[in-house]
Amino acid sequence: MKKHIVLLPGDGIGKEVIHSAKDVLHAIAEEYNHSFNFETHEIGGAAIDQYGTPLPETTVDACKQADAVLLGAVGGPKWDNNPSHLRPERGLLGIRKALDLYANLRPIKGFKNLLHASPLKEEVVAGSDLLIVRELTGGLYFGTPSERRDNGNFVVDTLAYSRQEIERIVDKGFQAAQGRHGRLTSVDKANVLESSKLWREVVEEKKAQYPDVFVEHVLVDAAAMKLITNPTQFDVIVTENLFGDILSDEASVLTGSLGMLPSASLNENGVGLYEPVHGSAPDIAGKGVANPVAMILSTALMLRYSFQLENEAKVIEDAVQSVLDAGFHTGDLQVADGRLVGTAEMTNLIVNYIRSQNASKCIASCYF
Ligand SMILES: NC(=O)c1ccc[n+]([C@@H]2O[C@H](COP(=O)([O-])OP(=O)(O)OC[C@H]3O[C@@H](n4cnc5c(N)ncnc54)[C@H](O)[C@@H]3O)[C@@H](O)[C@H]2O)c1
C-alpha cells in the first residue's frame, strides 16, 4: 500500500514524539511491504514564529492533499500572552474545521502493569477498555459568536446542532460498537436540553439499522460518576462536543498518564488527523524524556481507520503492550521494579519488537 502522510510536529515534545511515529511507520512499511511518504509542515507556535500565523495556508493545503495527518502537539509559554488569533491552539481548531473532522475517537485502556499509576483503586480500573466517540465540529464551541451585553455583565453562548450533524456522529458510534463489543452508551442531558432531546430521538431512530448493538441512554452527570466508579461497564460512549471534551479528560485518569492516550479525528471521507491527547509539555520539552506511546498508538489508529490496516495496527498495539509488560517505562509512569527509559530508547524497543515479530524470530533476548 502506498500512502502520503503529512507530519505536523508543532511545539515542545510534539517535535520529539513525531520522530517516534516516523520510526514506527518506517518499520511497519519495511516489514509489511508498504510505502509511506512523509511531508512535514508547521502548525502552532512554530508556525507563528516562521510565518506569523498558527495555521499557514501551505499547511492546510498539504493536509487536504494527504491520505492522513499526524500531529504532535501545539502551545507553550512563549506564545501565552499573544492575542487570541495568534495563539498556537488556533492552529489546531483551524485544521479540524478545515478538514471537517467531525468525529473524535479516543480509546482508553488500562494497561495491566500500570494500574497502580491511576489515582483510582486498581480493582476499579482493572479491565477498563472503552472508546469515546465525541462530536468535534458542532455544539457550544461553534455556535453563533458568543455575546456580551449589559456592559459585559450578561453573556450568551449558543448550543446548536442540526439533525444531520447528530446522525453522522451517532452512525460513527454504532459502527464503532459493531467493531468492538456491541455496546453503545449515548450520553446526553435530555431531561433539560432541547439539543439532547433531538440527539436521543436520532439514537432511537438509528437503533433499527444496527440490531446487533445494545444501546443505553445515560445522562451526562450520571455518566461522569459511572466513569470513575465502574468504568468497565462501558464499551463505546457517543456524545456531543462539550460533554465529550469533559468526559474524555475525566476518563484519561484511568490510564495513569496523559502520555498513554492516542486520538483520531475523522471526516466523512475517512481522512483523519491523529494526535496524542497530551499537550506540548513545556516542562520536559527538549530533555528526551517524553513518553512516545500516545503518539505511537495514534499511528496505530491511523493504520486502522484511514488505511484499513487492522493487522499492522494490532502489531503496534501488541508491541507497546509487550514493552510495557517487560517493565520498561518513561518517567511519567511509576512502575515498581521496572526500567526507566527515555523517548528514543522506548521507541527503539517498540520498533525492535515490531521487526522481530514479523521475522518470527521473537525470542525475548533479541529485542529486550
Ligand atoms: N492537542 C494539543 O496540542 C494540546 C493539548 C493540551 C494542551 N496543549 C498545550 O500544551 C501546553 C502545555 O499544556 P499543559 O501543561 O496543560 O498540558 P500537557 O499535556 O502539555 O502537560 C501536562 C503534564 O503532563 C506531562 N506530560 C504530558 N505529555 C507527556 C508525555 N508524552 N510524556 C511525559 N509527560 C507528559 C507534562 O510534562 C505535564 O507535567 C499549553 O500551551 C497547552 O495549551 C496542547
Side-chain angles (χ1 to χ4, degrees), residues 99-243:
L99 299 179
D100 194 21
L101 303 170
Y102 71 92
N104 182 238
L105 276 59
R106 281 194 193 185
I108 295 153
K109 190 174 172 181
F111 285 90
K112 212 170 45 201
N113 65 342
L114 299 179
L115 295 181
H116 65 278
S118 169
L120 303 177
K121 289 184 187 140
E122 286 190 39
E123 61 267 31
V124 172
V125 185
S128 53
D129 178 6
L130 59 110
L131 175 72
I132 296 185
V133 178
R134 167 190 167 195
E135 203 290 325
L136 202 60
T137 52
L140 207 50
Y141 300 167
F142 293 93
T144 49
S146 303
E147 259 187 81
R148 276 194 174 233
R149 300 177 196 154
D150 193 14
N151 291 327
N153 294 312
F154 185 86
V155 291
V156 183
D157 293 308
T158 316
L159 200 177
Y161 268 114
S162 69
R163 172 176 281 275
Q164 182 261 344
E165 282 177 308
I166 300 173
E167 282 177 349
R168 64 182 186 173
I169 190 72
V170 165
D171 274 325
K172 271 272 182 288
F174 272 107
Q175 288 154 11
Q178 281 182 318
R180 289 174 48 102
H181 305 294
R183 285 179 63 89
L184 181 68
T185 305
S186 171
V187 172
D188 61 34
K189 190 70 183 168
N191 54 342
V192 180
L193 297 175
E194 209 50 45
S195 56
S196 282
K197 287 178 189 155
L198 178 59
W199 182 281
R200 202 174 273 217
E201 276 170 39
V202 169
V203 174
E204 281 299 301
E205 286 165 21
K206 288 270 172 198
K207 237 162 59 171
Q209 287 174 37
Y210 303 94
D212 48 340
V213 176
F214 171 81
V215 184
E216 62 171 351
H217 300 278
V218 177
L219 295 174
V220 64
D221 35 0
M225 182 266 290
K226 289 177 180 186
L227 256 182
I228 49 168
T229 51
N230 187 10
T232 55
Q233 71 182 265
F234 295 109
D235 178 17
V236 177
I237 292 175
V238 65
T239 191
E240 62 93 56
N241 202 345
L242 172 68
F243 298 160

Side-chain angles (χ1 to χ4, degrees), residues 13 73-76 89 92 258-259 275 278-284 290-291 332:
I13 63 167
V74 298
E89 297 76 12
L92 202 50
L258 272 172
E275 57 179 322
H278 61 74
S280 59
D283 52 335
I284 56 166
N291 184 350
D332 52 314

